[in-house]
Amino acid sequence: MPRRTATMLASTLMLIALLCAGVFIPVPYAEMSPGPTVNTLGEHDGEPVLQISGRKTYAATGHLNMTTVRVTSADYRMNLVEAVYGWLAHDNKVVPHDTLYPDGKTEEQSTQENAEEFSQSQESAKVAALKQLDIPVKSWVIVSTVLKDSPAEGKLHAGDVIKSVDGTAVKVPEDVAKLVTRHKPGEDVDFVIVPAKAQAAAEKANRTATETEKVTITTARSDDSGEERAIVGISAGTDHTFPFTIDIKLADVGGPSAGLMFALGIYDKLTPGNLTGGTFVAGTGTIDDEGRVGPIGGIEMKTVGARDKGAQYFLTPEDNCASAAKDTPDGLTLVKVDTIEDALGALKDIRSGDTADLPKCTIEG
């Protein structure tokens, strides 16, 4: 066989082998891409996203869109060709698989965690909006989770209301850890609780729960601490009773990043007029009970998705501003917000057309 023909054949075979390797050999990466955006003032799957009863509401129109990110599943393994294509694609982002699914987290575990975060973000959005309107909200500290094989397992349960620890009244979730860690591992700590079932029954009957129990738990040493720190194996959270009903109907969405936009949507429906003045506004950001806005992941994907839908302004958490500003979609203005008050102030300027002094995101922050 002539040398030239042999060389071409060898090269062709090598190219075929490389292509096969690229297609069939998995690589440890996952892909993020722009997901759908949903108007919190509108409908999704045929029903209003925000449903409020027991309180006067107003016909809020316009767009206050929450944004999402699509990600490949935990079990899906990209091949080299897909990874290279994703790196080259402008609107997609390829990241290490462990970034999205750390510690071998399964799809089911990730979905459950996202659902819990989404539920908590809804509660905080309601609280933040009502506080902004000076509408009272009753709150109390609860057991959020109980770790398996921990000292608290079987003694405390998710939903139990924590009234006191060692005789000291508990006012915020952080109080629980502070009071428990005053002990050394092996010492007893006393909880006074309202059992979850008793609390649920009282809420259903629209009364205050009075049934309490004293629970004594022997503390253990924290496994994830280099110091001698006592734990009982629970995480504390906050539950609320609202003076009227607010339901958020949005399936197949997870994570905490829609909190800000839910809060603004609730605020808009409970006040006359339109927050946006007819302008298409989208945004993202976590929110806590006090109305503080926190950063989220996938900001570059969310701005692209918002602009593709027609957004003109994008409410951006302050800590995400620098990253988002590096590649802002044409025609989209990124507005920096750190609290719900910041967002409401920006919306006031947007609907009045006085946007020259809006706090806009820059690459520096």
Side-chain angles (χ1 to χ4, degrees):
M1 181 183 296
R3 178 178 297 178
R4 182 177 180 182
T5 302
T7 301
M8 291 181 63
L9 179 59
S11 298
T12 301
L13 292 173
M14 184 174 292
L15 178 60
I16 292 172
L18 290 173
L19 287 174
C20 288
V23 171
F24 294 110
I25 296 178
V27 292
Y29 292 98
E31 186 175 58
M32 304 168 64
S33 60
T37 77
V38 178
N39 185 10
T40 62
L41 301 177
E43 294 187 348
H44 183 68
D45 290 341
E47 62 178 343
V49 174
L50 299 176
Q51 301 179 18
I52 301 174
S53 58
R55 180 87 176 193
K56 183 178 180 180
T57 59
Y58 300 85
T61 60
H63 282 272
L64 283 171
N65 280 48
M66 51 83 69
T67 50
T68 64
V69 174
R70 285 194 180 97
V71 299
T72 49
S73 68
D75 298 330
Y76 182 74
R77 289 295 182 269
M78 299 181 69
N79 60 49
L80 183 59
V81 173
E82 290 173 321
V84 171
Y85 179 82
W87 279 317
L88 296 175
H90 180 264
D91 292 344
N92 295 357
K93 186 175 183 180
V94 175
V95 298
H97 189 272
D98 289 346
T99 300
L100 299 178
Y101 304 102
D103 302 323
K105 187 182 297 180
T106 66
E107 182 80 14
E108 183 178 2
Q109 290 171 328
S110 179
T111 299
Q112 178 62 29
E113 183 177 297
N114 284 334
E116 291 173 358
E117 290 178 340
F118 186 62
S119 178
Q120 182 57 53
S121 76
Q122 293 180 41
E123 291 298 293
S124 292
K126 296 172 189 178
V127 175
L130 297 194
K131 283 188 175 182
Q132 194 65 30
L133 291 165
D134 293 325
I135 298 174
V137 177
K138 294 181 180 179
S139 303
W140 52 85
V141 177
I142 63 167
V143 177
S144 291
T145 57
V146 180
L147 296 179
K148 185 176 176 57
D149 299 326
S150 69
E153 186 178 19
K155 294 187 174 183
L156 296 177
H157 304 86
D160 289 345
V161 177
I162 304 174
K163 304 293 288 185
S164 68
V165 177
D166 289 332
T168 300
V170 169
K171 297 181 179 179
V172 294
E174 293 75 18
D175 289 344
V176 178
K178 290 179 182 177
L179 292 167
V180 170
T181 54
R182 288 180 180 177
H183 291 269
K184 293 180 180 180
E187 294 181 346
D188 288 344
V189 56
D190 294 325
F191 287 77
V192 173
I193 65 165
V194 175
K197 289 183 179 180
Q199 179 63 29
E203 289 181 41
K204 188 175 182 179
N206 195 27
R207 60 178 175 79
T208 300
T210 57
E211 177 186 336
T212 61
E213 293 181 6
K214 181 179 178 181
V215 179
T216 300
I217 301 174
T218 303
T219 60
R221 184 180 185 279
S222 173
D223 291 332
D224 59 359
S225 174
E227 59 188 52
E228 192 82 354
R229 185 167 66 89
I231 62 167
V232 294
I234 66 168
S235 61
T238 307
D239 202 358
H240 311 278
T241 293
F242 299 100
F244 49 90
T245 302
I246 305 174
D247 286 329
I248 300 177
K249 303 290 187 180
L250 193 58
D252 302 323
V253 176
S257 65
L260 170 63
M261 302 313 292
F262 283 145
L264 294 174
I266 293 167
Y267 184 99
D268 203 355
K269 283 183 172 289
L270 291 173
T271 54
N274 297 310
L275 283 182
T276 66
T279 304
F280 194 134
V281 178
T284 190
T286 66
I287 199 164
D288 66 14
D289 291 359
E290 303 305 317
R292 292 182 289 260
V293 177
I296 50 81
I299 186 67
E300 302 91 341
M301 308 297 101
K302 293 183 176 182
T303 56
V304 170
R307 184 55 188 156
D308 286 348
K309 192 72 171 181
Q312 299 163 271
Y313 294 89
F314 193 91
L315 303 179
T316 311
E318 183 175 3
D319 289 344
N320 288 125
C321 263
S323 178
K326 291 178 182 177
D327 194 14
T328 307
D330 292 339
L332 187 67
T333 299
L334 305 183
V335 182
K336 178 167 58 178
V337 296
D338 193 41
T339 64
I340 189 173
E341 290 92 343
D342 292 344
L344 291 170
L347 289 169
K348 180 180 179 180
D349 291 340
I350 289 170
R351 68 175 176 269
S352 69
D354 185 18
T355 59
D357 294 327
L358 279 176
K360 299 170 184 175
C361 291
T362 65
I363 294 177
E364 288 76 23

